[in-house]
């Protein structure tokens, strides 16, 4: 079990993990206990701090998710190096006319419906997202045409760029 003990050397209360087992005589009577105490105070304090930090991170993540979902522009995050769509906000889904393809990688681009002026479909490597991920390019306001499932053309200005981790 876990207990707090007053440490004599400095008067500080510390958490300990307490273990003990009874020792029996030949008649089955408990004659003594043998046990050990392990100071786990630092681990408990770190676990408490980690729990608080995790709760704060979850709160901030939910705030960010809410902001992205309410943004008036289409926003998506794509994972490098796989090309897997990690997140697409509601506005992006509405604009493109299809649901998020979170499990697919670069092959998803062949299904997204972008076409050139002459009507020929984009190859995966032509998409701004793919170029940004594979080549590290930053694309700003590139004009694209998307064909929706109902055949309607949608014109978009697309900006993409890699986000590099600080680690």
């Amino acid at each position: 079990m876990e207990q707090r003990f007053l440490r004599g050397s400095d008067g500080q209360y510390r958490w300990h993990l307490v273990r003990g087992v009874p020792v029996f005589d030949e008649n089955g009577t408990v004659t003594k206990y043998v046990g050990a105490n392990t100071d786990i105070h630092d681990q408990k304090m770190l676990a408490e701090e980690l729990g608080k930090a995790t709760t704060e991170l979850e709160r901030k993540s939910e705030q960010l998710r809410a902001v992205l979902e309410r943004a008036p522009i289409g926003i998506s995050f794509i994972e490098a190096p796989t090309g897997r769509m990690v997140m697409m906000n509601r506005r992006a889904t509405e604009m493109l006319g299809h649901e998020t393809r979170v499990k697919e990688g670069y092959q998803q681009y062949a299904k997204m419906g972008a076409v050139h002026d002459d009507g020929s479909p984009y190859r995966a490597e032509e998409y701004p997202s793919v170029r940004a991920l594979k080549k590290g390019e930053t694309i700003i306001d590139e004009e694209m045409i998307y064909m929706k499932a109902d055949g309607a053309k949608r014109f978009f200005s697309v900006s993409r760029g890699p986000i590099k981790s600080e680690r």
Side-chain angles (χ1 to χ4, degrees):
M1 70 178 170
E2 293 179 1
Q3 276 187 309
R4 285 181 60 201
F5 289 107
L6 179 62
R7 187 163 60 185
S9 62
D10 62 5
Q12 181 184 17
Y13 280 94
R14 308 269 305 170
W15 282 101
H16 285 250
L17 178 63
V18 180
R19 296 174 297 283
V21 294
V23 176
F24 300 94
D25 66 14
E26 61 277 350
N27 298 321
T29 304
V30 175
T31 59
K32 60 184 169 183
Y33 286 88
V34 176
N37 292 342
T38 304
D39 187 325
I40 60 169
H41 187 81
D42 294 337
Q43 293 91 328
K44 280 190 73 79
M45 296 301 103
L46 286 172
E48 186 177 304
E49 287 179 38
L50 180 60
K52 288 176 185 176
T54 300
T55 299
E56 181 64 10
L57 180 60
E58 288 168 352
R59 186 183 69 77
K60 287 182 178 183
S61 292
E62 186 53 40
Q63 287 174 337
L64 178 59
R65 201 173 358 263
V67 167
L68 292 173
E69 276 303 312
R70 288 172 179 80
I73 60 172
I75 301 171
S76 62
F77 291 97
I78 301 161
E79 181 180 73
T82 64
R84 187 178 71 87
M85 184 79 66
V86 176
M87 176 271 186
M88 180 184 284
N89 73 349
R90 182 176 38 238
R91 183 66 182 130
T93 301
E94 290 168 358
M95 290 166 58
L96 294 174
H98 60 74
E99 292 298 316
T100 306
R101 294 178 172 91
V102 295
K103 292 187 167 78
E104 297 184 38
Y106 289 113
Q107 65 272 19
Q108 75 187 336
Y109 293 96
K111 304 173 192 172
M112 291 184 77
V115 295
H116 295 283
D117 291 335
D118 64 5
S120 62
Y122 268 53
R123 294 183 324 274
E125 61 273 6
E126 294 179 287
Y127 279 85
S129 300
V130 175
R131 293 192 337 257
L133 287 170
K134 287 191 171 185
K135 297 178 183 176
E137 292 182 28
T138 297
I139 292 97
I140 298 175
D141 294 330
E142 183 172 308
E143 298 292 324
M144 293 183 73
I145 303 169
Y146 280 91
M147 296 294 289
K148 293 181 72 172
D150 64 4
K153 283 186 181 179
R154 298 291 308 260
F155 295 86
F156 290 96
S157 175
V158 178
S159 295
R160 284 287 185 200
I163 299 173
K164 294 186 170 84
S165 173
E166 304 234 350
R167 293 188 289 155

